[in-house]
């Protein structure tokens, strides 16, 4: 399967499951079902209400399932702000402008970029550790979104030994933290 199709479909499948999501789903299923085996059946079995609740539970209420990939390496630190600014600069250099309400490290945004611009594949590969951690967390919760992350992973080069080690370290220790202005 074409990587661009996989990434475009994954960007849609990782968006909030509103009416637009369900309206586009038949096209996504037709174009990319082999990339995400079993995902459509799982979400159809859940239905719109249950899937929306599951999405919020996974991606909005569980820190381990964060769709904002710089969080994994930078946590809630000042360094994350620098990473976000650098990402915006990379998008801008490629002729992309984000909507005002979009953060540049939101996985669906990064997947859209990868689907439409050659520089996006390298960007996803650089955030492989976050993708691995997100996938592992989703799998631990038994989420059907694990299937989508599996499809994304298959379209990327294998993780390096360094990336595997970083993912193991972050899985154990969590993202960095800062205590600026906190006195003990």
């Amino acid at each position: 399967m074409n990587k661009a199709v996989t990434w475009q479909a994954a960007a849609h499948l990782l968006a909030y499951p509103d009416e637009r999501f369900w309206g586009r789903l038949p096209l996504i299923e037709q174009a990319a079902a082999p990339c995400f085996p079993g995902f459509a059946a799982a979400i159809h079995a859940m239905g719109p209400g249950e899937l929306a609740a599951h999405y919020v539970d996974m991606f909005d209420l569980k820190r381990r399932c964060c769709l904002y990939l710089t969080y994994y390496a930078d946590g809630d630190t000042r360094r994350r702000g620098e990473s976000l600014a650098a990402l915006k600069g990379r998008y801008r250099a490629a002729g992309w402008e984000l909507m005002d309400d979009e953060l540049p490290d939101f996985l669906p945004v990064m997947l859209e970029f990868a689907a439409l611009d050659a520089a996006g594949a390298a960007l996803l590969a650089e955030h492989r550790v976050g993708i691995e951690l997100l996938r592992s967390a989703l799998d631990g919760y038994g989420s059907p979104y694990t299937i989508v992350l599996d499809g994304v992973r298959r379209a990327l080069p294998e993780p390096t030994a360094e990336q595997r080690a970083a993912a193991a370290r972050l899985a154990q220790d969590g993202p960095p933290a800062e205590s600026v202005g906190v006195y003990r």
Side-chain angles (χ1 to χ4, degrees), residues 81-170:
E82 294 169 11
S83 295
L84 293 173
L87 278 172
K88 276 188 174 182
R90 288 174 74 175
Y91 290 136
R92 210 171 290 118
W96 280 59
E97 285 297 323
L98 297 176
M99 305 284 284
D100 288 338
D101 63 342
E102 291 179 322
L103 287 176
D105 66 337
F106 187 50
L107 182 54
V109 169
M110 296 174 90
L111 289 163
E112 288 267 348
F113 182 62
L116 300 171
D117 193 293
L123 186 62
L124 286 175
E126 289 170 25
H127 290 275
R128 183 62 186 253
V129 170
I131 291 169
E132 293 297 321
L133 289 168
L134 173 58
R135 189 255 173 235
S136 177
L138 290 168
D139 187 46
Y141 290 112
S143 173
Y145 287 104
T146 304
I147 298 166
V148 178
L149 270 290
D150 284 340
V152 170
R153 291 169 67 220
R154 282 191 298 274
L156 290 169
E158 285 295 314
T160 65
E162 182 180 302
Q163 288 172 322
R164 281 196 276 287
R169 192 171 47 255
L170 283 170

Side-chain angles (χ1 to χ4, degrees), residues 62-79:
K62 293 182 179 8
R63 294 187 116 185
R64 294 184 61 215
C65 297
C66 183
L67 286 172
Y68 297 92
L69 294 185
T70 61
Y71 173 75
Y72 294 100
D74 298 332
D76 288 325
T77 65
R78 288 175 285 190
R79 188 174 71 205

